[in-house]
Amino acid sequence: MEGLRRLLAILAVGVVPWTVVFVGGDATLVLSIGLLDPTTLTLTDVYAYTFVHTRSLPASLFAWPLGAALYLLALGSALVGTVTGHEDRRVTAGLLVLVALTQLTVAWGLTTRLGTVAVPFGSVAALAVLALVEWPAIRGSVLPASR
């Protein structure tokens, strides 16, 4: 049961908007699967964004597809660990840290543009899962034993 709860927590990281970008009165949601314009419900998936719509975009936005790939690796690691019982949870935890860093990079890059505010909810979600779910299990293997 604990493995299933852990897997659901990691799945939740992919469900929350990773970054919410506010420009004027408009918002855009950067999701794990694509960019969503909530006013028109237009979704640009990660593949199209990465391989079709990449001309003249800020470099910091390229961290988002990398974060999506890292998230899939973390989810796959957790899934294999849940199914087989064999996993190095430090790998999953490290991937979640990298996911959080990619979304901080996206948010910072967008926020430095005039009139834009980006909030990295995905970073908060990934770090919350790391702190509440992964860290208790890996703490002993990461920190030296106290004397």
Side-chain angles (χ1 to χ4, degrees):
M1 189 59 149
E2 184 227 331
L4 182 59
R5 269 190 260 153
R6 178 175 166 260
L7 189 59
L8 289 174
I10 294 172
L11 271 170
V13 172
V15 173
V16 300
W18 280 7
T19 304
V20 179
V21 183
F22 299 99
V23 180
D26 297 327
T28 299
L29 305 177
V30 179
L31 306 171
S32 61
I33 60 166
L35 299 173
L36 178 67
D37 180 348
T39 57
T40 63
L41 296 179
T42 304
L43 179 73
T44 303
D45 64 81
V46 176
Y47 180 84
Y49 171 84
T50 305
F51 297 108
V52 178
H53 305 293
T54 55
R55 193 171 287 162
S56 72
L57 292 172
S60 63
L61 287 180
F62 289 104
W64 166 58
L66 176 61
L70 292 167
Y71 170 72
L72 288 177
L73 289 172
L75 185 59
S77 175
L79 182 62
V80 167
T82 300
V83 171
T84 66
H86 299 290
E87 174 191 13
D88 186 345
R89 289 181 69 169
R90 295 171 296 183
V91 171
T92 306
L95 289 166
L96 288 173
V97 168
L98 293 174
V99 168
L101 290 174
T102 62
Q103 296 319 297
L104 286 172
T105 301
V106 170
W108 177 256
L110 290 171
T111 300
T112 58
R113 299 172 66 197
L114 189 62
T116 304
V117 175
V119 183
F121 290 112
S123 295
V124 173
L127 293 175
V129 169
L130 176 71
L132 300 173
V133 178
E134 297 299 324
W135 183 249
I138 66 171
R139 179 179 39 213
S141 65
V142 176
L143 296 177
S146 59
R147 295 181 180 221

